[in-house]
Amino acid sequence: MEGFFRTLTDLNSLLSGLVWGPAMVGFMLLVGIYFTVGTGFFQIRHFGLLLRETLVAIFLDQEVHDKRDPHSISQFQALSTALAGTLGTGNIVGVATAIAAGGVGSIFWMWVSAFFGMMTKYAENVLGNHYRYRDERGAWVGGPMVYIERGLGCRWLAVLFALFCMFAAFGIGNMTQANSIAGALESALRIAPLSTGIVVALLCGLVVLGGIKRIASVAERCVPLMAVVYTAGAAAILWLHRDRLPDAFSAIFQEAFSLRAVGGGAGGYAMMRAVRYGVARGIFSNEAGLGSSVIVNSASNVKEPVRQGMWGIFEVFADTIVMCTITALAIIVSGTHLSGAEGAGMSIEAFEGAFGRAGGLFVAIAIAFFAFSSILGWSYYGERVVEYLFGRKLVGIYQLLFIGMTAVGCVGHLELVWSLSDTFNGLMAIPNLIAVLFLSNQVFAITRDYVRRVSQRRHAKHVGQWNPGPEPSPRSWRLFEKEKELSK
């Protein structure tokens, strides 16, 4: 048995080196650049539209919170559940790991990966919404496996993605997250991992067995609240060390392109590590290119594929540009990246330096909440791919197994599971990005059509308000109103 595990570890190390190696990470970045250029830098040119349809709409548009369709979830619930899957340990532990492995310059490359990854996730969501369909119960079915099969006509590639996603759901979406919860609560509150495992499994069961409606309902209440609270805590650290912020940004940009160090070769190696770990951890955190969050975004009641695509852009922005950045800056301005601490220890030291022992407790609880939200999000991803692979009859068994594995994750030693999970997480990107690239022309066409209709709608509104001309006849006015209605 020991020999088997050693062989499995060696094989996984080889695969992981390929999946998260420079070539694959560079390919993921190039895909984002391709969609950025192909859509005419959509995330910049249509930034105002993007804000109105996402952030502003959360507060002013009731349609975003519409839950009347019994077979779908609201747009805000889809966003919250997708963020539940991405706002995990990557936002705290992953950022610290990137800094430890690639230096503070890796944060710049994390921003770069997020900027272009916005358009990768945009393309995924557009295709997911475009190819989704309703099953016999009336529920939406979508995700990479759907647009791979229906768009490319390649069933075996869709099955491959679904298998990778299923294994990733048990690993990176369940056991490793549960292990992070147990570790955080044991260090902060001296709670035994077994006790944590039992409680987490019970809470997970109460939510997961209620289906997507209950998962989305919990996510829309918990995810925004915990994101705001954590951001406020990290922002307080930045305020306390506000005089160091200019130096922090200077260090990030200097080290991102630094070729000094001990000779040019060592400096070039340091820069490559910054690029590799910054881009890889950015992708690991926001999952742009992996396709996982498309599964829940396809369950939204939104009618426009492009609008769901814009929610994908906002998702990457919130996850990486906001949450990861504020964690990174808190670590840098507090100086804990130079203390020799690793992983979550960096973040804990940063908060403890500002708030004492309460700061460490705050980070531990934040890790627990973030990790639990990831478990909920990934439970749904796994459920949908299990149904795709084996039919509805095995979903109940999957749910019970998923709940049970959270308890196992809390008490086990998961070095190999962490490593395998990381590999399966990356393997999902291969079939997904193949499909997204081959279907890119559809993404571009759908985007052009939406932008054209939005432009026409604005023009019609402008003419109607500011250039009334002579009093129209009743018939011409009805035609005008009809054309406006059709343009919507």
Side-chain angles (χ1 to χ4, degrees):
M1 186 62 71
E2 185 178 341
F4 169 76
F5 281 113
R6 188 181 300 112
T7 302
L8 184 61
T9 301
D10 292 341
L11 179 61
N12 179 69
S13 297
L14 177 63
L15 270 176
S16 182
L18 294 173
V19 171
W20 291 110
M24 189 62 184
V25 168
F27 174 62
M28 291 181 179
L29 191 60
L30 286 174
V31 171
I33 294 172
Y34 173 68
F35 279 103
T36 297
V37 174
T39 57
F41 286 81
F42 185 95
Q43 70 271 55
I44 296 177
R45 288 182 58 204
H46 302 287
F47 185 71
L49 174 65
L50 174 64
L51 281 181
R52 287 195 301 273
E53 295 292 339
T54 55
L55 182 61
V56 175
I58 290 173
F59 300 99
L60 300 180
D61 189 351
Q62 289 301 315
E63 184 182 345
V64 170
H65 303 275
D66 185 6
K67 306 171 189 174
R68 289 176 294 178
D69 187 345
H71 302 297
S72 66
I73 58 177
S74 72
Q75 296 171 46
F76 185 68
Q77 287 179 323
L79 170 70
S80 299
T81 309
L83 283 174
T86 57
L87 289 181
T89 53
N91 299 91
I92 300 176
V93 182
V95 171
T97 302
I99 293 174
V104 297
S106 61
I107 302 306
F108 173 81
W109 296 107
M110 188 178 289
W111 294 337
V112 171
S113 75
F115 176 78
F116 293 114
M118 289 176 185
M119 294 315 299
T120 304
K121 185 155 280 195
Y122 167 86
E124 293 170 344
N125 278 358
V126 167
L127 291 172
N129 191 271
H130 180 68
Y131 282 103
R132 67 180 181 172
Y133 62 92
R134 290 190 184 270
D135 62 16
E136 66 277 1
R137 295 171 296 131
W140 285 114
V141 178
M145 62 281 188
V146 175
Y147 57 69
I148 291 172
E149 180 177 356
R150 293 194 159 204
L152 287 185
C154 193
R155 166 77 179 174
W156 68 268
L157 195 63
V159 169
L160 200 60
F161 171 85
L163 285 171
F164 291 152
C165 186
M166 181 181 69
F167 287 118
F170 280 108
I172 204 68
N174 184 337
M175 295 177 68
T176 56
Q177 301 292 340
N179 193 257
S180 296
I181 296 173
L185 295 183
E186 184 180 24
S187 63
L189 298 173
R190 302 294 184 267
I191 298 176
L194 179 58
S195 300
T196 300
I198 293 171
V199 173
V200 170
L202 288 173
L203 291 175
C204 181
L206 288 173
V207 180
V208 169
L209 294 176
I212 182 57
K213 283 286 190 179
R214 189 175 299 171
I215 293 172
S217 180
V218 171
E220 76 169 330
R221 288 172 171 81
C222 295
V223 172
L225 176 62
M226 74 181 181
V228 169
V229 171
Y230 176 77
T231 302
I237 296 177
L238 300 186
W239 176 254
L240 290 173
H241 300 289
R242 56 190 179 278
D243 57 315
R244 301 180 189 175
L245 278 173
D247 291 337
F249 280 105
S250 177
I252 289 172
F253 286 104
Q254 284 180 4
E255 292 198 24
F257 300 98
S258 175
L259 291 176
R260 291 176 297 166
V262 186
Y269 176 70
M271 178 179 168
M272 288 306 299
R273 283 177 66 86
V275 174
R276 177 183 175 183
Y277 284 99
V279 174
R281 287 299 158 185
I283 294 169
F284 183 80
S285 176
N286 58 52
E287 299 178 11
L290 306 187
S292 50
S293 65
V294 186
I295 297 172
V296 72
N297 277 302
S298 298
S300 165
N301 62 7
V302 72
K303 298 177 176 62
E304 288 280 0
V306 169
R307 190 166 189 182
Q308 198 60 53
M310 287 188 282
W311 283 115
I313 294 175
F314 181 77
E315 184 185 323
V316 175
F317 179 84
D319 178 271
T320 306
I321 300 299
V322 176
M323 299 291 291
C324 289
T325 297
I326 204 166
T327 298
L329 289 175
I331 289 171
I332 296 170
V333 298
S334 62
T336 56
H337 64 296
L338 303 174
S339 68
E342 295 182 0
M346 282 190 192
S347 301
I348 291 173
E349 283 191 15
F351 277 81
E352 284 183 342
F355 308 113
R357 187 176 181 277
L361 180 62
F362 175 81
V363 174
I365 293 174
I367 290 174
F369 272 100
F370 281 140
F372 184 71
S373 71
S374 291
I375 291 173
L376 296 183
W378 274 93
S379 71
Y380 181 71
Y381 304 160
E383 177 184 328
R384 298 311 278 174
V385 295
V386 165
E387 183 173 355
Y388 176 82
L389 290 168
F390 308 112
R392 188 70 191 166
K393 58 184 178 296
L394 290 185
V395 168
I397 297 174
Y398 157 78
Q399 289 175 328
L400 293 176
L401 185 60
F402 188 90
I403 294 165
M405 294 307 284
T406 59
V408 175
C410 286
V411 299
H413 297 285
L414 303 180
E415 289 81 4
L416 181 58
V417 175
W418 269 102
S419 184
L420 286 170
S421 301
D422 207 15
T423 301
F424 281 117
N425 210 27
L427 284 171
M428 291 165 56
I430 298 174
N432 178 56
L433 291 179
I434 290 173
V436 168
L437 282 174
F438 275 102
L439 297 172
S440 60
N441 285 337
Q442 293 197 32
V443 175
F444 300 147
I446 292 169
T447 302
R448 287 194 299 269
D449 176 67
Y450 180 81
V451 171
R452 176 186 57 79
R453 287 186 285 115
V454 168
S455 178
Q456 288 178 345
R457 186 160 68 242
R458 287 179 183 167
H459 178 71
K461 182 178 180 181
H462 173 77
V463 171
Q465 287 182 351
W466 299 104
N467 187 25
E471 186 70 23
S473 66
R475 180 176 178 276
S476 64
W477 183 256
R478 283 196 298 272
L479 287 173
F480 177 69
E481 287 293 310
K482 184 176 181 181
E483 288 173 359
K484 283 207 304 182
E485 190 64 31
L486 288 173
S487 70
K488 295 180 182 179

